[in-house]
Amino acid sequence: MKLFRASLLSLSLLLSSGGFAQQPAAAGSDQTSARLAGEVLVNGRALEYVQNLSDKFGGRLSGSAAYRRSAEWAAEQFRAAGVKDVRLEPFPLESTWSRGLARARMIAPQERPLHLESLGWAPSTPAGGVRGDVYILTDLSRDFIKRESDKIKGRVVMLDLSALAKDGYAAFSKLVAAPQFLKDAGATAAVIGSSDANNVLNAFNLNWGARISPLPLAQLGMEDSKLIQRLLAQGTTVTVEFAYENGTGGAAEDNNVVAEIRGRERPDEWVIIGAHLDSWDYGTGAQDNGTGCAMVLEAARAIAALGTPPRRSIRFALWGGEEQGLLGSAAYVRAHARELKDCVAALNTDNGAGHPRGWKFEGREDVQAAMTPISKSLLAGIGGDGLSPELSFDTDHGHFFLAGIPSLDLWVDMEHYDEIHHKPSDTVDKIVAHNLSAGAAVVAVTAHALAERPGRIAPQLKHDAVGDLLKKANLEEFLKGVGVWK
Ligand SMILES: [Zn+2]
């Protein structure tokens, strides 16, 4: 049936070539890549996808109605692009959360409003709010917090993160553990100063796994928190008050959206290209990660439009729960454990829509060696032929990497990314259309080339070999701390 469809398509190509004795380009050749890139750059719909996703559904918190509706919309887009096999694959969320309106002020030594919002997945403040003197905590260890419990009891604790900076990734597991120690020591709430000027806040949660935190946690504007720190350094008592009522719910299920173009020769082997569909709620999740979703949708549309499927299957995945700890992609890797041996490569795009620079090969020199000729021959013209060794565990290629799958994360120019990342300014107006199209072209061409290539780019690594790479990148302690690596 597939052969029949393919030959019909070849025939129509011959007929549409204007009578020249022109052969259709062999699949996987530079001509196929050129057709694919041309389709994305000339007929591309990436900007339209991200505009619909961000402007019509808004922020897409995991477990929210906006997320669920956007997943249904995305499934429709894959079908409209001609990809027939589209599934919603469920994954569990430990709890759901929505943000309530916050109010905050300093009471002493002066009366002034404060820029403060709840952290994600934090509980509401008690009725009437939290009121207390501020205590600055510089050491997050359980022992230190226990020793200081007389000073901490009944206070609002401000976490000083500057002391943690030297710990890199490992700092995150310490931060995640601290709220329980603070609760045990009798703190009423904890606040963290923002690292962005102009009292701009930056949404995040202080846990891993959509768990409701043990005590109210809030983020305070940078200038507000520096004022408090200066006053405390002079020995002045600072009293603050804040209140918010968040919505929290128990265990729930969300769906990943997974579409597949079956391979024409080795349909059981697959390349996966993914991006997370969930987002934070201050902005509309345009570049974190509407643009990644748009690149995946556009790659699916353009590859389907070629008419001839590649040698291997390509799966197009839009993940949920990424912002709470890569939950959707982790569940997918667990649910598909038995077919991971046939996963040839896992591609991911989640670094915004700056101009593409190439791919991060996640510390694997064998992947770099195999990618170099592909990058040089197919991606240089788009400006996306760079290869970066950076190994990170901050987005959805992570669990594929841990399973030993050759993983590639789209590497883009991130010069302006921090200006919008997790902020109210993450909206469609910041997207540069031609950079987004170029990113979508790199994604489509690479996914197709890897699915078409006669051999695999690299083997699936054994657990110990993955462990060695993690050690080299100082990631092991962090991953053990959040419970995803043994
Ligand atoms: Zn992201």
Side-chain angles (χ1 to χ4, degrees):
M1 188 60 201
K2 239 175 245 143
L3 274 173
F4 175 64
R5 191 168 155 269
S7 49
L8 268 185
L9 279 159
S10 305
L11 180 64
S12 71
L13 274 171
L14 277 173
L15 292 176
S16 66
S17 66
F20 294 103
Q22 185 183 323
Q23 292 296 314
S29 68
D30 289 1
Q31 288 93 322
T32 310
S33 301
R35 261 180 73 199
L36 202 45
E39 177 66 23
V40 173
L41 296 173
V42 179
N43 284 332
R45 296 184 53 190
L47 189 63
E48 187 187 325
Y49 286 134
V50 66
Q51 191 160 346
N52 278 319
L53 180 58
S54 306
D55 287 352
K56 291 185 182 162
F57 303 101
R60 303 170 297 282
L61 280 180
S62 299
S64 68
Y67 177 84
R68 199 177 57 245
R69 284 197 298 267
S70 69
E72 286 160 6
W73 169 86
E76 270 310 301
Q77 304 314 301
F78 280 122
R79 289 190 194 102
V83 184
K84 300 283 177 292
D85 182 359
V86 185
R87 295 169 209 185
L88 295 179
E89 299 197 24
F91 66 91
L93 282 174
E94 195 172 311
S95 53
T96 60
W97 180 88
S98 63
R99 184 186 305 282
L101 279 181
R103 59 180 172 80
R105 63 187 181 129
M106 181 187 285
I107 297 169
Q110 56 154 316
E111 171 94 25
R112 59 179 284 122
L114 295 172
H115 300 80
L116 175 145
E117 294 281 358
S118 174
L119 290 196
W121 271 257
S124 305
T125 53
V130 160
R131 185 185 178 122
D133 297 346
V134 179
Y135 166 84
I136 294 200
L137 182 70
T138 50
D139 181 339
L140 299 188
S141 68
R142 182 200 290 259
D143 290 347
F144 183 82
I145 291 172
K146 221 171 172 178
R147 269 205 311 278
E148 295 285 287
S149 58
D150 280 356
K151 294 179 200 155
I152 287 170
K153 197 172 163 52
R155 310 281 286 273
V156 172
V157 175
M158 184 186 272
L159 306 182
D160 178 358
L161 303 189
S162 57
L164 280 178
K166 63 174 180 2
D167 294 337
Y169 261 115
F172 186 74
S173 26
K174 288 183 185 166
L175 266 171
V176 168
Q180 185 61 52
F181 306 153
L182 289 171
K183 185 183 181 166
D184 296 343
T188 49
V191 298
I192 299 180
S194 169
S195 52
D196 290 294
N198 302 313
N199 283 318
V200 167
L201 302 180
N202 169 354
F204 66 98
N205 43 223
L206 211 54
N207 54 29
W208 189 268
R211 223 158 271 148
I212 302 296
S213 301
L215 82 166
L217 301 173
Q219 190 181 37
L220 188 59
M222 175 201 267
E223 286 77 9
D224 286 347
S225 56
K226 285 189 168 176
L227 168 63
I228 291 173
Q229 283 174 334
R230 284 195 303 275
L231 289 166
L232 290 172
Q234 291 162 10
T236 308
T237 298
V238 178
T239 311
V240 299
E241 180 185 81
F242 61 90
Y244 47 74
E245 197 174 331
N246 296 325
T248 55
E253 234 172 37
D254 255 351
N255 288 310
N256 296 316
V257 185
V258 186
E260 183 173 44
I261 295 177
R262 294 285 284 171
R264 65 171 197 283
E265 275 180 27
R266 291 186 218 156
D268 291 342
E269 292 184 4
W270 44 288
V271 168
I272 189 162
I273 166 68
H276 70 88
L277 181 63
D278 68 300
S279 80
W280 279 109
D281 56 339
Y282 289 158
T284 58
Q287 289 191 71
D288 190 14
N289 185 19
T291 44
C293 295
M295 291 180 209
V296 172
L297 284 163
E298 175 60 7
R301 191 196 65 78
I303 291 169
L306 285 176
T308 308
R311 194 186 306 266
R312 300 181 184 81
S313 299
I314 305 182
R315 296 183 187 177
F316 303 88
L318 302 181
W319 311 115
E322 192 270 354
E323 298 290 4
Q324 285 68 51
L326 323 182
L327 305 179
S329 54
Y332 186 88
V333 168
R334 277 199 306 275
H336 294 262
R338 289 165 76 181
E339 31 164 8
L340 286 182
K341 63 178 189 339
D342 295 318
C343 180
V344 167
L347 280 55
N348 185 69
T349 161
D350 180 22
N351 291 308
H355 195 280
R357 302 179 75 173
W359 292 99
K360 302 184 201 178
F361 56 86
E362 306 297 314
R364 282 190 60 172
E365 284 165 10
D366 54 348
V367 173
Q368 178 191 24
M371 275 301 293
T372 299
I374 296 173
S375 297
K376 291 289 165 234
S377 64
L378 303 181
L379 304 177
I382 317 170
D385 57 327
L387 289 167
S388 160
E390 189 188 342
L391 167 53
S392 58
F393 192 85
D394 54 357
T395 180
D396 290 303
H397 63 277
H399 284 275
F400 291 92
F401 177 85
L402 295 187
I405 311 291
S407 302
L408 294 163
D409 190 30
L410 190 68
W411 181 32
V412 305
D413 176 5
M414 293 182 79
E415 197 189 338
H416 297 292
Y417 190 58
D418 274 350
E419 295 164 14
I420 57 95
H421 184 234
H422 293 189
K423 297 188 183 73
S425 52
D426 186 10
T427 49
V428 165
D429 50 290
K430 312 300 183 307
I431 297 168
V432 177
H434 65 260
N435 288 343
L436 172 61
S437 299
V442 168
V443 166
V445 167
T446 308
H448 188 273
L450 296 180
E452 188 58 44
R453 203 174 188 274
R456 295 180 177 226
I457 51 167
Q460 182 178 7
L461 284 188
K462 296 263 189 296
H463 186 270
D464 286 354
V466 175
D468 290 344
L469 290 170
L470 295 177
K471 262 184 219 139
K472 237 165 111 184
N474 280 324
L475 274 168
E476 210 185 20
E477 194 185 336
F478 158 66
L479 295 175
K480 284 179 174 168
V482 297
V484 300
W485 183 253
K486 279 180 202 154

